[in-house]
Amino acid sequence: MRIDILTVMPEALQSPLHCSILQRAQDAGLVEIVVHNLRDWSTRRHRKVDDYPFGGEAGMVMQIEPVWRCMQELHSQRRYDEVIFTSPDGEQLSQPLANTLSLAENLMILCGHYKGVDFRIREHLISREISIGDYVLTGGELPAAVIADAVVRLLPGAIGDEQSALSDSFQDGLLEAPVYTRPAEFNGWRVPDILLSGHEAKIAEWKMQQALDRTRKLRPHLLDKLNNH
């Protein structure tokens, strides 16, 4: 897989993209993540990529020209399965969406910034808009890193124990059951006896019940989705 990220703040992506699973996946050749500075495609003085909005609103807007030039160059080199824009009003990032994106060969992610982007970018150059939550951040770099992380960890070989990813929260539409490790007792707080029993069937039953109970308590809308399918 290859992920191209277009941004005006490449330095904001250095740390998130170069540690833990993301770095190991890149080192193993499972994914290539390339960050492009949109200022390199600007023809304006001081490499500016923004201008005042028509209509007199406050703030600055990313211009279409440098975005278009950068995308045209990338499109000439490979075919992209999705061209994603990180937007607060896009579709919510979810585990099923991450699963779908993990099957792609090439992804492009445009990070929003300033007041927003010229809407013609969203109308003509983007195939999918994704939000990581109903709030506004300074730029789309953190959402782009979140999307990359959610997708890359699903690639075969990215995680040492691939079964671990299959049991993550949301993977089957439920929250994950509680997990414990040694010591079996600490400060008087004991690990549930069932997990120490060695009875696989009963442990699986306990985990399923815990997942259902936690989902019902913390994310009841997920159960509604399951019941409607």
Side-chain angles (χ1 to χ4, degrees):
M1 171 182 279
R2 175 175 167 126
I3 302 176
D4 289 277
I5 302 178
L6 285 53
T7 172
V8 296
M9 292 184 61
E11 63 275 12
L13 289 161
Q14 290 305 308
S15 178
L17 297 181
H18 294 287
C19 61
S20 189
I21 292 172
L22 280 177
Q23 184 62 64
R24 292 200 299 271
Q26 291 175 84
D27 292 342
L30 302 176
V31 63
E32 181 181 9
I33 303 178
V34 183
V35 177
H36 304 271
N37 188 343
L38 284 169
R39 299 183 189 280
D40 294 339
W41 281 268
S42 172
T43 59
R44 298 179 60 198
R45 187 178 181 184
H46 305 305
R47 303 166 75 209
K48 286 177 64 68
V49 295
D50 63 311
D51 211 329
Y52 295 102
F54 289 125
E57 293 186 40
M60 303 293 281
V61 177
M62 284 178 62
Q63 295 177 286
I64 190 171
E65 292 99 331
V67 174
W68 184 84
R69 291 191 188 98
C70 180
M71 287 187 176
Q72 286 292 104
E73 182 171 325
L74 293 176
H75 280 299
S76 71
Q77 298 168 0
R78 65 191 56 83
R79 186 190 69 82
Y80 288 88
D81 300 275
E82 295 282 5
V83 179
I84 298 165
F85 175 55
T86 57
S87 168
D89 55 358
E91 66 179 302
Q92 193 90 18
L93 180 64
S94 64
Q95 194 60 46
L97 176 54
N99 292 342
T100 297
L101 294 176
S102 72
L103 301 176
E105 183 176 352
N106 298 306
L107 296 174
M108 188 190 305
I109 305 176
L110 171 64
C111 302
H113 207 69
Y114 308 118
K115 177 69 175 178
V117 302
D118 187 308
F119 201 75
R120 289 169 292 185
I121 294 173
R122 300 172 68 173
E123 289 180 307
H124 303 291
L125 304 181
I126 300 298
S127 66
R128 195 159 209 160
E129 299 190 7
I130 297 178
S131 167
I132 64 168
D134 293 338
Y135 46 85
V136 178
L137 298 173
T138 303
E141 287 74 24
L142 290 178
V146 168
I147 294 169
D149 190 286
V151 169
V152 170
R153 68 189 306 277
L154 295 172
L155 299 179
I159 296 179
D161 181 359
E162 293 184 12
Q163 291 299 312
S164 175
L166 296 177
S167 63
D168 285 341
S169 287
F170 308 110
Q171 195 62 261
D172 57 2
L174 299 173
L175 298 186
E176 185 180 6
V179 293
Y180 301 85
T181 189
R182 295 171 180 158
E185 182 174 345
F186 177 76
N187 239 11
W189 306 323
R190 282 188 54 78
V191 170
D193 291 336
I194 185 65
L195 295 178
L196 308 176
S197 69
H199 197 300
E200 293 185 6
K202 289 185 176 180
I203 290 174
E205 182 180 347
W206 178 88
K207 288 183 176 180
M208 175 56 70
Q209 189 58 54
Q210 288 291 313
L212 286 168
D213 290 345
R214 285 175 52 79
T215 304
R216 187 176 294 110
K217 178 181 178 181
L218 301 173
R219 298 286 194 280
H221 67 279
L222 293 176
L223 290 178
D224 294 336
K225 289 182 179 179
L226 287 177
N227 292 332
N228 291 331
H229 280 76

